[in-house]
Amino acid sequence: MSTHPTKDLETFVNPNQERDYTIIIDIPEFTCLCPKTGQPDFATIKLEYQPDEKCVELKALKLYMWTFRERGAFHEAVTNEILDDLVAATNPKWMKITMKFNVRGGIYTDVVIEHKK
């Protein structure tokens, strides 16, 4: 394999810092493991943010998401971890993450969190 999972979130300079705009990224194939059973959990992530000086690079974001594939994580914990890591890397004006987890035991879970400067 030419690429490997990594927690390194590369960024690039926001090309339009003088303007407020929103970037929306859909990640339909997120996976992690249930920390209780070890069974896979699947989710769709919607990442929305208003960049300040930096934007997240998409290939780096993909490789970052890949790091969760073999890790056990509660839905609430993994959503907060992702927000914390992305805020640390990009320092956005505003960021919101919506994780829509597939059904588990007849229950769907959505976790929505926001960061504001």
Side-chain angles (χ1 to χ4, degrees), residues 99-111:
M99 289 189 73
K100 298 181 78 61
F101 286 88
N102 289 2
V103 68
R104 185 201 298 161
I107 299 173
Y108 289 92
T109 306
D110 292 354
V111 180

PDB file of all heavy atoms in Angstrom, residues 99-111:
ATOM      1  N   MET A  99     -22.258  13.205  13.198  1.00  0.00           N
ATOM      2  CA  MET A  99     -21.989  11.797  12.906  1.00  0.00           C
ATOM      3  C   MET A  99     -23.294  11.034  13.019  1.00  0.00           C
ATOM      4  O   MET A  99     -23.937  11.039  14.062  1.00  0.00           O
ATOM      5  CB  MET A  99     -20.931  11.232  13.861  1.00  0.00           C
ATOM      6  CG  MET A  99     -19.556  11.798  13.576  1.00  0.00           C
ATOM      7  SD  MET A  99     -18.212  10.993  14.477  1.00  0.00           S
ATOM      8  CE  MET A  99     -18.068   9.429  13.625  1.00  0.00           C
ATOM      9  N   LYS A 100     -23.675  10.399  11.915  1.00  0.00           N
ATOM     10  CA  LYS A 100     -24.901   9.599  11.846  1.00  0.00           C
ATOM     11  C   LYS A 100     -24.480   8.134  11.784  1.00  0.00           C
ATOM     12  O   LYS A 100     -24.023   7.664  10.751  1.00  0.00           O
ATOM     13  CB  LYS A 100     -25.716   9.979  10.613  1.00  0.00           C
ATOM     14  CG  LYS A 100     -26.185  11.434  10.634  1.00  0.00           C
ATOM     15  CD  LYS A 100     -27.010  11.782   9.421  1.00  0.00           C
ATOM     16  CE  LYS A 100     -28.414  11.278   9.486  1.00  0.00           C
ATOM     17  NZ  LYS A 100     -29.268  11.741  10.560  1.00  0.00           N
ATOM     18  N   PHE A 101     -24.608   7.471  12.923  1.00  0.00           N
ATOM     19  CA  PHE A 101     -24.208   6.075  13.006  1.00  0.00           C
ATOM     20  C   PHE A 101     -25.328   5.173  12.500  1.00  0.00           C
ATOM     21  O   PHE A 101     -26.518   5.435  12.738  1.00  0.00           O
ATOM     22  CB  PHE A 101     -23.838   5.709  14.447  1.00  0.00           C
ATOM     23  CG  PHE A 101     -22.519   6.266  14.866  1.00  0.00           C
ATOM     24  CD1 PHE A 101     -22.442   7.543  15.411  1.00  0.00           C
ATOM     25  CD2 PHE A 101     -21.355   5.536  14.698  1.00  0.00           C
ATOM     26  CE1 PHE A 101     -21.218   8.066  15.790  1.00  0.00           C
ATOM     27  CE2 PHE A 101     -20.134   6.053  15.066  1.00  0.00           C
ATOM     28  CZ  PHE A 101     -20.062   7.332  15.608  1.00  0.00           C
ATOM     29  N   ASN A 102     -24.929   4.111  11.818  1.00  0.00           N
ATOM     30  CA  ASN A 102     -25.897   3.129  11.345  1.00  0.00           C
ATOM     31  C   ASN A 102     -26.539   2.430  12.538  1.00  0.00           C
ATOM     32  O   ASN A 102     -26.014   2.465  13.655  1.00  0.00           O
ATOM     33  CB  ASN A 102     -25.227   2.104  10.439  1.00  0.00           C
ATOM     34  CG  ASN A 102     -24.822   2.689   9.106  1.00  0.00           C
ATOM     35  OD1 ASN A 102     -24.996   3.879   8.835  1.00  0.00           O
ATOM     36  ND2 ASN A 102     -24.254   1.859   8.254  1.00  0.00           N
ATOM     37  N   VAL A 103     -27.629   1.782  12.287  1.00  0.00           N
ATOM     38  CA  VAL A 103     -28.396   1.119  13.329  1.00  0.00           C
ATOM     39  C   VAL A 103     -27.551   0.081  14.063  1.00  0.00           C
ATOM     40  O   VAL A 103     -26.731  -0.613  13.465  1.00  0.00           O
ATOM     41  CB  VAL A 103     -29.682   0.483  12.751  1.00  0.00           C
ATOM     42  CG1 VAL A 103     -29.360  -0.677  11.824  1.00  0.00           C
ATOM     43  CG2 VAL A 103     -30.643   0.086  13.844  1.00  0.00           C
ATOM     44  N   ARG A 104     -27.725   0.043  15.386  1.00  0.00           N
ATOM     45  CA  ARG A 104     -27.096  -0.979  16.222  1.00  0.00           C
ATOM     46  C   ARG A 104     -28.130  -1.383  17.257  1.00  0.00           C
ATOM     47  O   ARG A 104     -28.584  -0.560  18.048  1.00  0.00           O
ATOM     48  CB  ARG A 104     -25.847  -0.443  16.918  1.00  0.00           C
ATOM     49  CG  ARG A 104     -25.130  -1.556  17.684  1.00  0.00           C
ATOM     50  CD  ARG A 104     -24.204  -1.104  18.776  1.00  0.00           C
ATOM     51  NE  ARG A 104     -23.092  -0.296  18.371  1.00  0.00           N
ATOM     52  CZ  ARG A 104     -22.404   0.468  19.223  1.00  0.00           C
ATOM     53  NH1 ARG A 104     -22.761   0.534  20.497  1.00  0.00           N
ATOM     54  NH2 ARG A 104     -21.391   1.181  18.822  1.00  0.00           N
ATOM     55  N   GLY A 105     -28.528  -2.634  17.231  1.00  0.00           N
ATOM     56  CA  GLY A 105     -29.531  -3.113  18.184  1.00  0.00           C
ATOM     57  C   GLY A 105     -30.867  -2.411  18.044  1.00  0.00           C
ATOM     58  O   GLY A 105     -31.571  -2.213  19.024  1.00  0.00           O
ATOM     59  N   GLY A 106     -31.211  -1.997  16.820  1.00  0.00           N
ATOM     60  CA  GLY A 106     -32.480  -1.328  16.576  1.00  0.00           C
ATOM     61  C   GLY A 106     -32.476   0.158  16.933  1.00  0.00           C
ATOM     62  O   GLY A 106     -33.523   0.792  16.941  1.00  0.00           O
ATOM     63  N   ILE A 107     -31.300   0.706  17.242  1.00  0.00           N
ATOM     64  CA  ILE A 107     -31.198   2.112  17.638  1.00  0.00           C
ATOM     65  C   ILE A 107     -30.222   2.841  16.735  1.00  0.00           C
ATOM     66  O   ILE A 107     -29.100   2.377  16.513  1.00  0.00           O
ATOM     67  CB  ILE A 107     -30.725   2.237  19.106  1.00  0.00           C
ATOM     68  CG1 ILE A 107     -31.730   1.569  20.053  1.00  0.00           C
ATOM     69  CG2 ILE A 107     -30.489   3.688  19.493  1.00  0.00           C
ATOM     70  CD1 ILE A 107     -31.252   1.491  21.491  1.00  0.00           C
ATOM     71  N   TYR A 108     -30.655   3.971  16.223  1.00  0.00           N
ATOM     72  CA  TYR A 108     -29.770   4.855  15.467  1.00  0.00           C
ATOM     73  C   TYR A 108     -29.233   5.922  16.418  1.00  0.00           C
ATOM     74  O   TYR A 108     -29.946   6.379  17.303  1.00  0.00           O
ATOM     75  CB  TYR A 108     -30.526   5.574  14.341  1.00  0.00           C
ATOM     76  CG  TYR A 108     -30.921   4.684  13.203  1.00  0.00           C
ATOM     77  CD1 TYR A 108     -32.160   4.058  13.174  1.00  0.00           C
ATOM     78  CD2 TYR A 108     -30.053   4.460  12.136  1.00  0.00           C
ATOM     79  CE1 TYR A 108     -32.531   3.242  12.139  1.00  0.00           C
ATOM     80  CE2 TYR A 108     -30.420   3.638  11.079  1.00  0.00           C
ATOM     81  CZ  TYR A 108     -31.649   3.035  11.077  1.00  0.00           C
ATOM     82  OH  TYR A 108     -32.019   2.222  10.039  1.00  0.00           O
ATOM     83  N   THR A 109     -27.983   6.322  16.221  1.00  0.00           N
ATOM     84  CA  THR A 109     -27.384   7.380  17.034  1.00  0.00           C
ATOM     85  C   THR A 109     -26.827   8.461  16.136  1.00  0.00           C
ATOM     86  O   THR A 109     -26.100   8.160  15.187  1.00  0.00           O
ATOM     87  CB  THR A 109     -26.227   6.834  17.903  1.00  0.00           C
ATOM     88  OG1 THR A 109     -26.694   5.734  18.670  1.00  0.00           O
ATOM     89  CG2 THR A 109     -25.677   7.902  18.812  1.00  0.00           C
ATOM     90  N   ASP A 110     -27.176   9.718  16.422  1.00  0.00           N
ATOM     91  CA  ASP A 110     -26.564  10.882  15.785  1.00  0.00           C
ATOM     92  C   ASP A 110     -25.884  11.679  16.887  1.00  0.00           C
ATOM     93  O   ASP A 110     -26.479  11.904  17.945  1.00  0.00           O
ATOM     94  CB  ASP A 110     -27.603  11.794  15.112  1.00  0.00           C
ATOM     95  CG  ASP A 110     -28.261  11.157  13.904  1.00  0.00           C
ATOM     96  OD1 ASP A 110     -27.856  10.048  13.504  1.00  0.00           O
ATOM     97  OD2 ASP A 110     -29.198  11.769  13.361  1.00  0.00           O
ATOM     98  N   VAL A 111     -24.653  12.088  16.649  1.00  0.00           N
ATOM     99  CA  VAL A 111     -23.935  12.936  17.597  1.00  0.00           C
ATOM    100  C   VAL A 111     -23.560  14.211  16.845  1.00  0.00           C
ATOM    101  O   VAL A 111     -22.933  14.163  15.792  1.00  0.00           O
ATOM    102  CB  VAL A 111     -22.671  12.247  18.165  1.00  0.00           C
ATOM    103  CG1 VAL A 111     -21.967  13.163  19.153  1.00  0.00           C
ATOM    104  CG2 VAL A 111     -23.030  10.910  18.821  1.00  0.00           C
TER     105      VAL A 111
END
